[in-house]
Amino acid sequence: MAKKLPADERRAQLLEAALTIAAERGIDALTMRPLAAAAGTSVGIVHYHFHNKDTLLTQLGETQILQVNEGMRLAFGQYTEPAGLTGVPALEDLLRAGIRGLWPIIEATPNHQLLTYELTAHALRRRSAGDLAAGAIAERQYRTMDAETVAFLTLCARRAGVAWITPVEQVARFALTCVNGLVLRWLVDRDSDAALIALDDLAVILTSKAR
């Protein structure tokens, strides 16, 4: 018999087990029975917490957002002191270090990176089918990443003593669009050297939007 847990602990356990299954095998493999087996509980308990698979995937998307957000905050937070530079050169140095700081996290979690794309695509398909709540997950994912990126860009500019000549929200959107594309390309070819070169190029382009 499964150990009785408080509802919030059981829900967290189920989401963690769901994240593991989905990351390793994809969201098609995430069904109620394998989830119950992985969590060491009954299918009835799974259905109690998640009415159906769409509900489960919506909650999984929320969990993924929090993890991505924490990863970005951790990476960016380590690289906000210019290395003896000032002005635009300092900004470029900070941006390069911060953007590169994301890479070890990405490289160490390819399955979770792929899952992020899967969950986004699923949410957008559900939105097209009329499920606005599911689509809101994709929107929230990007709003959250936008906010972390804006905070990082703002801090870097302040530490370097420069100002963005393009609205920082637009700079953040452009940066995230580029990084998303680079990560997807890396998932295809696993060429980390090429990805890092492209990330350095991105830092140079972003620097051109400040003075």
Side-chain angles (χ1 to χ4, degrees):
M1 180 179 295
K3 178 183 177 182
K4 186 173 178 59
L5 295 175
D8 56 343
E9 289 185 27
R10 177 64 74 187
R11 190 179 188 85
Q13 180 205 32
L14 288 170
L15 285 170
E16 190 61 35
L19 186 61
T20 299
I21 293 171
E24 292 178 353
R25 297 160 53 194
I27 62 175
D28 287 344
L30 181 58
T31 58
M32 300 307 192
R33 193 168 298 279
L35 175 55
T41 190
S42 68
V43 175
I45 292 294
V46 175
H47 278 288
Y48 173 79
H49 287 280
F50 308 104
H51 178 64
N52 54 32
K53 183 171 178 175
D54 283 333
T55 303
L56 173 60
L57 289 176
T58 297
Q59 292 300 312
L60 194 62
E62 293 277 4
T63 301
Q64 187 79 342
I65 288 169
L66 293 174
Q67 292 193 359
V68 169
N69 184 42
E70 183 61 29
M72 291 179 68
R73 187 172 298 170
L74 177 64
F76 288 158
Q78 296 180 50
Y79 304 98
T80 53
E81 293 295 338
L85 301 171
T86 59
V88 170
L91 178 65
E92 183 177 333
D93 183 69
L94 289 169
L95 293 175
R96 181 182 291 107
I99 293 170
R100 274 184 169 248
L102 285 172
W103 195 251
I105 298 172
I106 292 168
E107 202 170 34
T109 57
N111 288 340
H112 284 77
Q113 304 306 319
L114 182 57
L115 177 59
T116 299
Y117 291 103
E118 285 188 271
L119 287 170
T120 301
H122 175 80
L124 294 178
R125 287 189 183 280
R126 293 300 304 157
R127 185 177 69 181
S128 296
D131 186 347
L132 299 183
I137 296 298
E139 295 170 6
R140 185 179 167 217
Q141 174 188 345
Y142 277 83
R143 285 198 303 270
T144 300
M145 292 191 296
D146 282 346
E148 287 300 321
T149 306
V150 165
F152 169 68
L153 294 173
T154 300
L155 181 59
C156 286
R158 185 166 67 246
R159 295 262 169 98
V162 302
W164 295 105
I165 56 177
T166 299
V168 68
E169 293 80 10
Q170 293 181 25
V171 180
R173 183 186 180 97
F174 173 75
L176 284 171
T177 299
C178 292
V179 171
N180 281 339
L182 285 168
V183 172
L184 187 58
R185 176 60 187 263
W186 176 79
L187 287 169
V188 173
D189 62 26
R190 301 301 172 97
D191 190 339
S192 292
D193 290 339
L196 287 170
I197 291 171
L199 290 174
D200 287 346
D201 288 342
L202 174 59
V204 173
I205 294 170
L206 295 180
T207 302
S208 70
K209 300 177 183 296
R211 66 184 176 191

